Amino acid sequence: QITLKESGPTLVKPTQTLMLTCTFSGFSFTTSGVGVGWIRQPPGKALEWLALIYWNNDKRYRPSLKRRLTITKDTSKNQVVLTMTNMGPVDTATYYCAQDYGDYGNNWFDPWGQGILVTVSS
Amino acid sequence: EIVLTQSPATLSLSPGERATLSCRASQSVSDYLAWYQQKPGQAPRLLIYDASKRATDIPARFSGSGSGTDFTLTISSLEPEDSAVYYCQQRSNWQVITFGQGTRVEIK
């Protein structure tokens, strides 16, 4: 069974840096083709893809946020970390991590973690 | 960036009825389109990928069709548990994965 779970702060102040960790089980970055992505969802709004990382350390970022995002992996810990700098109120959202479903580069997401609501407020 | 426009915004139907949801892309995405279901307070779940392939353990009442710019998700006979928001997602331009704004399906 594949599971993912997000962890990190639920409240950050404007201009601070957010660091979220996705801890997963049931698969491993030692397997060719494995990828994990981050997607966020502001309250009551649609989904927005942020970043992806693959077993071979290939990384993809949403161009409009690329300067603020960093995605890394720790293969031994089965973790993916997303860092977002200069947080603002518009970044208030539920942040999800999800496995890249199927073959390398499919860019479909399943399964997903439960999500973590991050609020940006002073 | 490819924009996905979903219609209608809300669909209100009775159990057993057929639901037809539309997703239109601002440019061709070939068949690189997926559909997700999101119930209140839950994470999304992948239903359909590559426009028409059902994901693992998805009931046969869910089907997808289309290619290019026009896609449809059909729920052949609505069940009460199908009440949710449905999102489409494209990956044609892999540098920017985008989602539609969602269609809410309400069961009367």
Side-chain angles (χ1 to χ4, degrees):
Chain A
Q1 182 189 5
I2 293 172
T3 63
L4 304 96
K5 187 173 183 179
E6 305 85 356
S7 59
T10 57
L11 179 65
V12 298
K13 290 180 167 49
T15 75
Q16 285 187 336
T17 294
L18 173 69
M19 180 179 291
L20 294 174
T21 300
C22 175
T23 304
F24 57 84
S25 63
F27 65 97
S28 171
F29 275 122
T30 59
T31 302
S32 176
V34 165
V36 173
W38 285 93
I39 305 99
R40 70 180 179 179
Q41 185 173 37
K45 295 188 177 180
L47 301 160
E48 180 180 56
W49 168 72
L50 299 175
L52 266 165
I53 189 166
Y54 292 98
W55 90 104
N56 59 358
N57 215 34
D58 182 15
K59 302 173 185 180
R60 304 279 188 254
Y61 295 101
R62 188 175 194 83
S64 60
L65 294 172
K66 187 174 182 177
R67 287 186 298 175
R68 299 175 54 204
L69 293 173
T70 303
I71 190 169
T72 59
K73 63 179 176 63
D74 187 326
T75 301
S76 65
K77 293 182 178 179
N78 281 352
Q79 290 181 335
V80 173
V81 174
L82 181 75
T83 302
M84 180 179 287
T85 61
N86 194 26
M87 294 289 285
V90 297
D91 298 311
T92 293
T94 296
Y95 288 75
Y96 295 100
C97 62
Q99 186 186 22
D100 191 329
Y101 180 83
D103 298 330
Y104 173 47
N106 265 358
N107 297 168
W108 310 130
F109 300 106
D110 197 70
W112 298 51
Q114 63 189 28
I116 182 169
L117 176 60
V118 177
T119 301
V120 183
S121 175
S122 55
Chain B
E1 177 174 318
I2 295 176
V3 176
L4 298 177
T5 301
Q6 293 187 239
S7 61
T10 303
L11 200 52
S12 185
L13 295 167
S14 299
E17 288 194 300
R18 183 185 192 90
T20 302
L21 287 67
S22 174
C23 177
R24 177 165 291 179
S26 59
Q27 63 190 80
S28 177
V29 299
S30 185
D31 62 352
Y32 298 136
L33 191 107
W35 291 92
Y36 296 83
Q37 176 192 64
Q38 186 177 32
K39 296 181 179 180
Q42 296 185 17
R45 175 176 71 149
L46 179 66
L47 298 175
I48 301 289
Y49 66 98
D50 292 349
S52 61
K53 299 175 182 176
R54 268 191 301 276
T56 305
D57 295 332
I58 300 303
R61 65 180 183 276
F62 293 94
S63 64
S65 63
S67 66
T69 60
D70 290 299
F71 300 86
T72 300
L73 173 69
T74 302
I75 310 173
S76 60
S77 179
L78 279 167
E79 301 279 349
E81 62 265 29
D82 298 334
S83 179
V85 178
Y86 293 83
Y87 293 96
C88 57
Q89 176 226 323
Q90 67 80 26
R91 70 167 183 89
S92 177
N93 181 351
W94 54 261
Q95 288 192 343
V96 187
I97 295 165
T98 56
F99 292 85
Q101 81 279 18
T103 290
R104 182 178 304 278
V105 174
E106 298 176 345
I107 309 298
K108 294 177 182 176

